[in-house]
Amino acid sequence: MKVLIVGGVAGGASAATRLRRLDETAQIILFEKGEFISYANCGLPYYLGGAIKERGRLVVTKPELLIQQFNIDVRIFSEVIQIDREQKRVTVKNHRTGESYFETYDKLLLSPGAEPKKPRLDGMDLEEIFTLRNVADTYKIDDFIKKLKPRRALIVGAGFIGVEMAENLKHRGLEVTVVEFLDQAVASLDFEMAAILHRHMREFGIQLLLGTGVAGFNKTEAIEVVLSNTLTLETDMVIMSIGITPESHLAKEAGLTLGVGGSIAVDESYATSDPDIFAVGDAISVRHLISGNEVLIPLAGPANKQGRAVAESILGIPGKHHREVQGSAILKVFDLTAASTGLTEKQLKGNNIPYLKTYIHPSSHASYYPGSTPISMKLLFNQEGRILGAQAVGFEGVDKRIDVLATALRLGATVYDLEELELCYAPPYSSAKDPVNMLGFTAANMLKGDTKVFHYDEVDGLDRNKITLLDVRAQEETIIGTLDGAINLPLEVLRQNMAKIPKDKPVYIFCQVGLRGYVAERILRQIGYEVYNLSGGFKTYKQAKEQYPEVLRSDMVDTSDSGVKIKPAETPLSAEPETQVKVIQVDACGLQCPGPIMKTAENMRALQSGEQLMIQATDPAFTSDIKVWAEKTGNRLLSISRDKSTFTALIEKGFEPSVSSAAKAVPAGNDKTMVVFSGDLDKAIAAFIIANGAAAMGRKVTMFFTFWGINILRKPEKVAVKKNFIESMFGLMMPRGSAKLGLSRMNMGGLGGKMIRGLMKHHNVSSLEELIQAAISNGVEVLACQMSMDLMGIKEEELLEGVGLAGVATFLGSAETSDTNLFI
């Protein structure tokens, strides 16, 4: 049998060697129009970045190897330009001699691959514009950089090649801008997962312009790039990386049937519409394992497997071949890894496939063992628990987890199987509950009804008037951000403060990553609350919403091959002589957010003003969190440095305010503060109407009740407490609770108050008692003055549930951050 193979890279070379292993007598001729066969096309960007030093290492298999070991006739610089199906022969052009000749075949295999898309834009023929698909392209770009030493590079397209080229050209010393027409990089991830990459690329100095296309190029002293938003930018070289298209023109001209996207249509044995012609690799469509649809997934792994399978089909060897592909892929972005398998959420929606999803943020290995780093993970599954897709982004352990999930998906496993997987465990490698197990736990909890979740993309649409939004994180965590309209009740004090949470509205809980929220959900659900927990917590919401985070100011960034370093802030000139500053060091590596921030706050409290704290962390959110925390707590962030996945922050303890500095005005925020001095019914109603209105607008409201105003907060029933004679007399003379309050005018022995209440009921206005309860439920901080209570003989037990005790310092602290202070 005589077999001709067109294309000598992944699919073609694999088919050739498999054919020889199966049939020693077959005549096998492999044609490659370029110089190289079986080259490492996935490694091309890393040669340009310097990770791969030698050009020869890009070639996996040389022609001599196939000739000597496999007796295959390898013809490089030989392009098949025509197929004559009737004569069963091809026309071959020898690019060395320029001559053409015929070669007959019994079976023909097409593995021409794909070619880069080249849009029809003005200036596309400029010599400074490149594509990257093969070794020759790589050498061309490398020679250009060596010879002309460009300072700036523009990459059009943020797919795998675009992102990898951005990293490697940055390592090469160029200023890099990436333009992407879509709103995200890397389409094999969903937006909220890709957002982690966006932030990371910007941290390393990549200018990333999303939702932006290119309209054309002009050559001046540099390359002027016209963007789709009519803006222009200048660059010295351009890499076009907007995707690839199947190289199927040879099949089309031969009259073979084409499939999706102009690919070569094949059956389960990889035969085309001509039974003597087969095709594999990037030129064909495949069937997706989950959707069952014909799709284009140009990956080296499937192409190599197809080459093995098609060899059996060509020789007529019976076997069960699978054209099903699940699209497992992985990407390195500086020191971050992103990987996925199966369908994305966007693809599931596009195929009308029902799905559920869950997010987790575990550590790569046991957090107590040095060097652990967080992984952000997403699992997509259906109502029966079948795995539909998975994505992960992190510094370590990402490949291992996605490979396990890819295997489970391929074998038809469910989330219940993930719960039971017995995976290798030792502290340097994993946790007793591996992240894959954790995905199974959270997904199974959803299916079994142990938890009801809501997701980051639902948060902004929640009507704050119809729900209670509850933040169960520690108060220190809220400094670096929370959700609008949320009340903060840390999990540790939740049981003691459940009276502050109304039962007549659903409760939407969130914590940092979802675990504490789940614990709080279980507490509240078991006593009758309707509760939903934010899957993935505030971390997932923050990652998705921070599209353009101000992580590092441009005047502070210094990038190098080893990572990112923030330049130390300039020290103000001082006439004082330099003194030795005390610096304490803290290790927060392995802790996930909020761990590093909590450790920072804990250790800063032990320092004196002017002393410094140096803290190390491995949480990637630490760089932005510590900046916000320092600004909001009055401390000074001196520098941030990075060594691979470890961040080191140097923070100076803020100085205690002196008399002169204390006299300076403190910038007001949007908080609202009230001193309620009066015990009159009408004034109390007005105070609580204002408070509830402000809370509904998402403002933090503090109500400080003093002297006669405390009577508003008294319980209506008599409480058995021990009082002396004077305290008992005061208690008898003062109204017991809001129902006994009189009007400031026209009280008429209490008749006026009853008339006002009747009118309020008639007009469907909430009663004072209802307004008080609503305020407490909506997170209004209702405080009673401890000093006034002592003077008037009122005990804490006599106050309504949800009322706290405070002194004047608490009131003044709230007033300093308020733009409205009322005295009622």
Side-chain angles (χ1 to χ4, degrees):
M1 178 183 290
K2 184 177 181 181
V3 181
L4 305 185
I5 300 176
V6 179
V9 192
S14 295
T17 54
R18 179 66 172 165
L19 275 167
R20 175 58 70 222
R21 289 193 294 270
L22 294 174
D23 187 348
E24 182 63 26
T25 65
Q27 182 184 359
I28 307 169
I29 305 175
L30 187 150
F31 300 99
E32 172 56 50
K33 64 182 177 181
E35 180 181 359
F36 305 100
I37 64 166
S38 192
Y39 55 82
N41 54 354
C42 295
L44 301 180
Y46 298 101
Y47 170 77
L48 291 169
I52 300 173
K53 304 294 184 183
E54 302 172 14
R55 288 190 171 188
R57 297 184 70 86
L58 293 175
V59 180
V60 178
T61 303
K62 294 182 178 180
E64 293 78 13
L65 178 67
L66 294 189
I67 295 170
Q68 295 169 5
Q69 291 191 8
F70 291 93
N71 190 27
I72 295 171
D73 184 356
V74 179
R75 303 179 187 180
I76 58 175
F77 294 114
S78 298
E79 181 180 4
V80 175
I81 59 175
Q82 190 177 29
I83 302 171
D84 185 340
R85 292 167 57 192
E86 290 186 3
Q87 298 291 325
K88 294 188 70 172
R89 68 181 187 181
V90 299
T91 303
V92 184
K93 182 174 183 178
N94 186 327
H95 287 293
R96 280 175 169 158
T97 65
E99 298 175 346
S100 296
Y101 63 92
F102 298 113
E103 195 72 61
T104 61
Y105 65 84
D106 294 315
K107 302 291 182 182
L108 174 65
L109 173 61
L110 302 178
S111 182
E115 56 187 352
K117 291 181 179 178
K118 296 180 181 179
R120 296 179 180 176
L121 300 175
D122 290 340
M124 273 295 295
D125 57 346
L126 293 173
E127 61 180 11
E128 295 87 353
I129 299 178
F130 304 90
T131 59
L132 179 64
R133 185 60 181 168
N134 52 42
V135 176
D137 293 339
T138 307
Y139 292 170
K140 187 177 179 181
I141 295 170
D142 186 44
D143 291 341
F144 178 86
I145 295 174
K146 287 178 178 177
K147 182 179 179 180
L148 298 179
K149 296 180 172 50
R151 182 172 59 89
R152 301 161 296 184
L154 172 72
I155 297 170
V156 183
F160 277 72
I161 293 295
V163 171
E164 289 170 349
M165 282 298 295
E167 173 190 352
N168 284 284
L169 290 181
K170 188 68 180 179
H171 286 320
R172 194 75 178 254
L174 280 73
E175 296 176 11
V176 180
T177 299
V178 179
V179 175
E180 170 57 54
F181 185 74
L182 301 177
D183 64 349
Q184 69 166 82
V186 188
S188 61
L189 299 174
D190 284 313
F191 176 83
E192 69 278 14
M193 303 298 287
I196 306 171
L197 304 187
H198 301 164
R199 178 179 187 162
H200 194 68
M201 292 172 70
R202 291 188 175 105
E203 285 181 341
F204 274 85
I206 303 294
Q207 185 178 11
L208 185 57
L209 305 178
L210 300 174
T212 306
V214 172
F217 305 95
N218 297 311
K219 178 67 181 290
T220 55
E221 292 184 0
I223 305 297
E224 186 180 74
V225 185
V226 182
L227 303 178
S228 59
N229 55 14
T230 70
L231 298 177
T232 61
L233 58 83
E234 287 189 344
T235 189
D236 302 313
M237 63 180 296
V238 177
I239 307 291
M240 296 298 298
S241 179
I242 61 173
I244 57 177
T245 185
E247 202 165 325
S248 57
H249 63 274
L250 191 61
K252 182 180 179 180
E253 291 169 1
L256 298 178
T257 302
L258 300 184
V260 60
S263 61
I264 305 171
V266 296
D267 62 16
E268 295 307 302
S269 64
Y270 299 101
T272 67
S273 54
D274 184 321
D276 292 321
I277 302 178
F278 297 79
V280 294
D282 295 352
I284 71 168
S285 64
V286 291
R287 187 172 60 253
H288 201 283
L289 179 65
I290 302 299
S291 69
N293 294 335
E294 291 291 315
V295 293
L296 297 176
I297 301 182
L299 294 172
N304 276 280
K305 297 178 185 67
Q306 291 163 15
R308 284 177 53 85
V310 76
E312 298 178 1
S313 297
I314 289 172
L315 296 174
I317 298 174
K320 189 176 182 181
H321 302 132
H322 296 280
R323 276 200 317 116
E324 293 175 328
V325 174
Q326 61 199 72
S328 299
I330 193 165
L331 173 72
K332 174 183 174 293
V333 186
F334 295 100
D335 49 4
L336 196 68
T337 301
S340 63
T341 189
L343 292 176
T344 64
E345 184 175 357
K346 188 181 297 184
Q347 290 167 337
L348 288 169
K349 288 179 179 177
N351 286 284
N352 295 316
I353 299 175
Y355 67 92
L356 300 169
K357 61 181 176 178
T358 185
Y359 299 90
I360 62 172
H361 301 279
S363 294
S364 57
H365 60 252
S367 58
Y368 58 82
Y369 187 87
S372 72
T373 57
I375 306 175
S376 293
M377 302 183 73
K378 177 180 184 178
L379 182 70
L380 297 152
F381 54 100
N382 64 17
Q383 195 65 47
E384 289 72 44
R386 182 190 174 196
I387 301 166
L388 304 177
Q391 301 163 41
V393 182
F395 291 104
E396 293 182 359
V398 169
D399 53 343
K400 169 184 174 180
R401 274 61 189 225
I402 290 298
D403 280 345
V404 171
L405 290 164
T407 304
L409 189 154
R410 169 65 67 171
L411 299 178
T414 68
V415 299
Y416 305 110
D417 296 313
L418 299 186
E419 290 185 288
E420 302 299 330
L421 282 181
E422 186 176 340
L423 303 172
C424 294
Y425 161 59
Y429 303 104
S430 185
S431 302
K433 297 175 182 176
D434 189 86
V436 173
N437 298 133
M438 294 181 194
L439 280 174
F441 297 149
T442 58
N445 283 343
M446 292 170 60
L447 294 176
K448 291 184 290 188
D450 291 343
T451 183
K452 295 181 179 179
V453 302
F454 67 110
H455 295 289
Y456 83 93
D457 49 1
E458 301 174 71
V459 168
D460 294 342
L462 294 174
D463 188 341
R464 274 35 172 195
N465 294 317
K466 295 181 180 179
I467 66 164
T468 299
L469 190 57
L470 179 62
D471 185 346
V472 296
R473 299 175 298 162
Q475 189 174 5
E476 290 87 347
E477 297 174 69
T478 64
I479 293 174
I480 57 175
T482 187
L483 299 180
D484 290 340
I487 62 173
N488 178 222
L489 283 177
L491 178 61
E492 292 76 10
V493 299
L494 179 63
R495 291 181 176 88
Q496 294 77 30
N497 290 273
M498 285 190 289
K500 296 181 179 180
I501 307 172
K503 279 192 173 182
D504 59 345
K505 294 192 294 186
V507 181
Y508 284 71
I509 293 179
F510 68 96
C511 64
Q512 188 64 21
V513 298
L515 179 57
R516 284 172 291 173
Y518 174 62
V519 175
E521 177 192 5
R522 296 303 304 163
I523 293 171
L524 294 179
R525 285 185 67 185
Q526 293 179 71
I527 57 174
Y529 285 88
E530 180 185 354
V531 191
Y532 301 85
N533 182 34
L534 179 58
S535 180
F538 182 72
K539 182 173 184 175
T540 298
Y541 177 86
K542 185 178 179 183
Q543 286 175 170
K545 296 299 180 179
E546 283 190 339
Q547 298 182 39
Y548 302 95
E550 188 186 347
V551 179
L552 308 175
R553 296 201 318 267
S554 60
D555 62 334
M556 294 177 67
V557 180
D558 177 26
T559 60
S560 65
D561 286 353
S562 60
V564 174
K565 182 177 180 181
I566 296 185
K567 299 175 184 177
E570 293 185 7
T571 305
L573 296 175
S574 172
E576 298 294 329
E578 291 186 4
T579 58
Q580 189 69 31
V581 177
K582 177 183 176 182
V583 179
I584 67 168
Q585 296 187 3
V586 175
D587 184 3
C589 293
L591 297 179
Q592 292 199 54
C593 182
I597 293 298
M598 301 291 283
K599 269 213 166 188
T600 302
E602 174 187 343
N603 285 276
M604 287 295 283
R605 284 194 287 268
L607 296 184
Q608 300 297 317
S609 297
E611 295 178 342
Q612 296 175 359
L613 175 73
M614 180 176 288
I615 183 165
Q616 288 188 320
T618 50
D619 181 14
F622 182 68
T623 54
S624 60
D625 287 350
I626 195 65
K627 181 174 182 289
V628 174
W629 182 87
E631 288 176 352
K632 294 199 174 183
T633 55
N635 298 295
R636 185 181 178 210
L637 177 61
L638 299 178
S639 66
I640 302 176
S641 61
R642 177 181 196 156
D643 180 14
K644 296 183 179 179
S645 60
T646 300
F647 306 89
T648 302
L650 182 63
I651 312 154
E652 183 179 83
K653 177 72 175 280
F655 287 90
E656 300 296 334
S658 62
V659 175
S660 58
S661 62
K664 295 179 182 178
V666 177
N670 291 320
D671 299 349
K672 315 295 177 187
T673 307
M674 301 182 200
V675 177
V676 184
F677 180 87
S678 172
D680 295 328
L681 174 62
D682 45 340
K683 295 177 182 177
I685 292 171
F688 276 100
I689 288 175
I690 295 170
N692 279 294
M697 295 173 63
R699 308 308 187 203
K700 181 182 178 182
V701 183
T702 302
M703 302 181 74
F704 188 75
F705 290 78
T706 184
F707 283 93
W708 316 115
I710 294 178
N711 292 309
I712 303 170
L713 307 179
R714 292 179 71 186
K715 294 177 180 177
E717 67 276 5
K718 187 174 181 179
V719 179
V721 290
K722 186 176 181 180
K723 295 186 178 184
N724 59 34
F725 176 76
I726 299 298
E727 291 173 338
S728 298
M729 290 299 294
F730 260 108
L732 290 172
M733 291 186 292
M734 293 188 301
R736 183 178 286 119
S738 58
K740 301 294 184 180
L741 300 181
L743 290 178
S744 60
R745 296 188 181 185
M746 298 186 295
N747 188 44
M748 295 179 288
L751 182 61
K754 292 180 180 179
M755 293 172 62
I756 286 291
R757 287 179 178 273
L759 286 170
M760 292 171 68
K761 184 175 181 180
H762 177 72
H763 290 285
N764 292 320
V765 177
S766 299
S767 67
L768 175 57
E769 291 71 33
E770 291 171 334
L771 290 170
I772 294 171
Q773 190 56 53
I776 294 173
S777 299
N778 289 329
V780 174
E781 194 168 17
V782 179
L783 304 174
C785 174
Q786 181 68 67
M787 182 204 68
S788 297
M789 290 176 61
D790 293 341
L791 290 176
M792 302 171 70
I794 298 176
K795 305 297 183 183
E796 184 178 358
E797 294 85 348
E798 295 181 85
L799 299 181
L800 298 171
E801 297 294 333
V803 174
L805 304 182
V808 67
T810 301
F811 160 71
L812 291 174
S814 298
E816 283 184 343
T817 59
S818 298
D819 61 2
T820 304
N821 290 284
L822 302 178
F823 188 91
I824 300 175

